[in-house]
Amino acid sequence: MQQHLISVLMENEAGSLSRVVGLFSQRGYNIETLNVAPTEDETISRLTLTTNASAEKIEQITKHLHKLIEVVKVIDLTDNAHVERELMLIKVRATGSARSEVKRSADIFRAQIVDVTANLYTIQIVGDGEKLDGFIDVIGRERILEVVRSGVIGILRGDRTLSI
């Protein structure tokens, strides 16, 4: 099994997301990450999800997605040159000499400290999953109080677009 990044353009209407997600749950496919937001056309939303499945199962999933009335276009970005990113907010304990160590690590990973208290830093970091996991490893799990991840979003490289 391989992780796939699937983008779906669908009508921005009540219940559309429920039908797409329901398709996955009815067939026993787990969604690892999920993002939905309006596009430049407010009547269309772009859903981006990651799931682990074989190529054959992804083909079945995309065929079923195309059958949904709300779905306009579907693409498996994994099969195409693409850029993917994820946003993570991480709250870490930072006291004493650890403050400068955490700040130095954030600088190395090109992360931003977005909130500061006497004992805590809240750090924003953007990148692929490996970069975010690497930052967690460097910071050390014992310092981490909370982690929030946005899930993966992606876009095709070059002139190719997913549009109507």
Side-chain angles (χ1 to χ4, degrees):
M1 285 203 290
Q2 176 188 5
Q3 185 172 48
H4 292 266
L5 180 61
I6 299 173
S7 276
V8 179
L9 292 180
M10 60 187 198
E11 295 175 9
N12 187 7
E13 295 178 350
S16 294
L17 175 61
S18 174
R19 284 183 277 283
V20 170
V21 171
L23 185 146
F24 280 78
S25 69
Q26 290 168 355
R27 286 161 179 78
Y29 302 129
N30 187 35
I31 296 173
E32 297 287 328
T33 68
L34 176 69
N35 259 295
V36 183
T39 63
E40 62 279 5
D41 177 350
E42 63 189 36
T43 65
I44 302 293
S45 289
R46 184 176 182 135
L47 176 150
T48 307
L49 64 88
T50 58
T51 187
N52 288 311
S54 65
E56 295 79 27
K57 286 189 178 179
I58 293 298
E59 186 178 334
Q60 287 177 346
I61 289 170
T62 55
K63 283 180 181 174
H64 288 294
L65 285 171
H66 282 292
K67 291 179 184 175
L68 295 176
I69 292 172
E70 301 86 357
V71 172
V72 178
K73 280 192 172 179
V74 180
I75 188 167
D76 182 356
L77 293 173
T78 312
D79 297 337
N80 299 279
H82 68 280
V83 176
E84 64 180 65
R85 293 291 184 265
E86 185 174 2
L87 169 73
M88 177 171 71
L89 294 173
I90 181 168
K91 190 176 291 186
V92 299
R93 198 173 294 109
T95 58
S97 64
R99 288 182 80 79
S100 60
E101 186 180 332
V102 170
K103 182 164 182 349
R104 193 171 33 254
S105 296
D107 290 343
I108 291 169
F109 279 81
R110 296 184 184 163
Q112 297 174 309
I113 297 172
V114 294
D115 189 40
V116 178
T117 70
N119 302 316
L120 302 172
Y121 282 150
T122 299
I123 301 167
Q124 169 186 298
I125 182 168
V126 177
D128 61 23
E130 287 182 28
K131 178 180 177 179
L132 304 186
D133 293 340
F135 185 70
I136 288 172
D137 290 342
V138 166
I139 290 295
R141 296 188 186 278
E142 67 282 353
R143 283 194 187 131
I144 297 172
L145 299 174
E146 187 175 4
V147 174
V148 180
R149 293 173 80 144
S150 66
V152 180
I153 59 171
I155 192 166
L156 291 166
R157 286 185 163 267
D159 295 339
R160 293 191 60 204
T161 61
L162 177 63
S163 59
I164 302 175

